[in-house]
Amino acid sequence: FMRTPGNPKWEKTQLTYRIVNYTPNLTRTDIEALIEEAFKVWSDVSPLTFNRTLDKEADIQISFARKDHGDNSPFDGPDGILAHAFQPGPGIGGDVHFDAEETWTKTPENYNLFPVAAHEFGHSLGLAHSSDPGALMYPNYAFSDPSTYTLHQDDINGIQAIYGPSSNPVQPTGPTTPTACDPRLTFDAITTLRGETLFFKDKYVWRKHPRLRMIEFNLISLYWPSLPNGIQAAYEDFDRDLIFVFKGTQYWALSGYDTQQGYPKHISNYGFPSSVQAIDAAVSYRGKTYFFVNYQFWRYDDQSQSMEPGYPQSIEEFFPGINSRVDAVFQENSFFLFFSGPRYHAFDFHARRITRVGKSNRWLNC
Amino acid sequence: FPVSSASPEEKNRNIVQNYLEKFYQLPRYTYKSERKSKTNVIVETLKRMQRFFGLNETGKPNEETLEMMRKPRCGVPDSGG
């Protein structure tokens, strides 16, 4: 995290805010609720309290404005700059301006007001931008669902560096951002996608392009805002140019950046019994899709769209040497790459044996 | 439509200049004479932006850098006041 240069802060912890005007995209009730949720992100982890007031002299004045709105920082129309805020202080200090020419939503559609408001309030309280891509104070927009959002540890450290800990007897903690070359790194799910390989972890995804050395690291919500965090399994259906991602008993179908209509669906559609409540890993190869659940696996026939009889079978019997639970698996040149914890095993599907073992994050150029 | 005459290079140069001026305090040069030293300043400022976002610090507006600059974001600068 970074504090705003000069370390400005409010000398009091009970702050007031006023919503000066509204956007026509949302109802007043929705806006007031989203703004309240956004302030709660910060009050939950610090001694700060925020009370809405209608009088003119609120500490934090919130408004929607377009283009040049008299503060020497004109907005730029749809997209680009979404909002800005001023550091703690009198007058314009602490105020937050949203670009009125954006489409403001309360859904995963661009741009959800909640994450932008919570971010700008961080500036109103004295925080600058963080270079941690998982932090709320990261400069770029990313959708976050207010109902499941938990403030990142980096942001908690930042606000507590300014105002001290919360009065909560149990100090709140937040998630941290995985680092590619952490030797303990494990993956939640892996799938190929049109020649690239996607490595899922918590709310993040590494995107590896076969030819470029570059590996993109982003929030999953940047590509698929309506997907939940914590994907557990994923595979690519090459024939239909779709990838399927699984969490719990639900699954989604994605075509490129688009989430297919009519999802999520229930995994019982594949023919799983109700005893199966989650999939550990999945991979599709030559018209068959392999689902790994605990120490067993199921095989699904893509042609007949049905689970094959005689399953589940023991993983180790069919894939000799794969004797741990599978976190993730993908297929490359007739090899199944099995990931369990911080290690992977390359299994030659035709020779029916493991040919290589290594550290999982080797696939992230570590 | 009045087709934009700017070449892709020109457009990218504008994206870079605009972004660095807004978020990394790249000085606005107006006089031709100043332009010589400007290139170095742009390269160093671009490296600062690439460092902040964990990109390869090439000092050149490569595709990953331009893609980062195109992302919707907060209007507060990433460094400085």
Side-chain angles (χ1 to χ4, degrees), chain A residues 177-196:
Chain A
T177 303
T179 43
C181 294
D182 176 346
R184 294 156 301 171
L185 181 69
T186 63
F187 295 115
D188 294 340
I190 304 172
T191 181
T192 52
L193 169 58
R194 298 178 179 171
E196 298 186 19

Side-chain angles (χ1 to χ4, degrees), chain A residues 90-271:
Chain A
I92 199 171
D95 290 2
V96 173
H97 300 161
F98 296 100
D99 187 343
E101 292 189 82
E102 308 300 348
T103 303
W104 295 104
T105 76
K106 59 173 186 175
T107 68
E109 307 304 313
N110 284 348
Y111 296 100
N112 187 292
L113 186 61
F114 167 74
V116 179
H119 173 101
E120 297 307 332
F121 295 154
H123 291 310
S124 305
L125 300 172
L127 286 176
H129 282 147
S130 168
S131 55
D132 184 326
L136 176 61
M137 294 313 291
Y138 189 66
N140 295 348
Y141 173 82
F143 168 68
S144 302
D145 182 341
S147 64
T148 57
Y149 184 70
T150 46
L151 191 60
H152 193 282
Q153 188 60 45
D154 181 72
D155 303 299
I156 293 174
N157 297 342
I159 201 69
Q160 292 191 349
I162 303 175
Y163 298 100
S166 83
S167 47
N168 188 326
V170 178
Q171 274 311 312
T173 56
T176 55
T177 303
T179 43
C181 294
D182 176 346
R184 294 156 301 171
L185 181 69
T186 63
F187 295 115
D188 294 340
I190 304 172
T191 181
T192 52
L193 169 58
R194 298 178 179 171
E196 298 186 19
T197 311
L198 304 180
F199 298 81
F200 291 94
K201 177 71 178 177
D202 303 337
K203 63 181 188 176
Y204 306 94
V205 57
W206 282 276
R207 182 177 164 187
K208 182 172 185 178
H209 196 282
R211 277 181 304 288
L212 306 178
R213 280 289 295 172
M214 182 190 97
I215 294 179
E216 264 189 79
F217 178 64
N218 276 306
L219 293 172
I220 294 170
S221 65
L222 192 77
Y223 300 119
W224 302 291
S226 56
L227 276 194
N229 299 332
I231 299 295
Q232 292 166 330
Y235 74 90
E236 179 174 20
D237 180 328
F238 300 92
D239 298 338
R240 291 193 281 170
D241 184 27
L242 291 173
I243 61 171
F244 291 88
V245 297
F246 298 76
K247 181 174 184 180
T249 58
Q250 295 186 309
Y251 69 102
W252 293 257
L254 310 173
S255 170
Y257 289 138
D258 299 327
T259 313
Q260 297 297 94
Q261 294 295 321
Y263 288 85
K265 291 182 177 176
H266 196 283
I267 56 172
S268 56
N269 285 348
Y270 279 94

Side-chain angles (χ1 to χ4, degrees), chain A residues 2 80-83 85 111 119-120 123 129-131 138-141 214 218 222, chain B residues 19 22-23 52-53 56 64 67-68 71-81:
Chain A
M2 273 200 294
I81 294 177
L82 305 181
Y111 296 100
H119 173 101
E120 297 307 332
H123 291 310
H129 282 147
S130 168
S131 55
Y138 189 66
N140 295 348
Y141 173 82
M214 182 190 97
N218 276 306
L222 192 77
Chain B
Y19 194 93
K22 271 188 189 154
F23 304 116
F52 181 91
F53 285 102
N56 295 318
E64 64 172 5
E67 196 172 320
M68 188 64 81
K71 290 183 175 176
R73 57 161 290 159
C74 170
V76 173
D78 294 336
S79 69

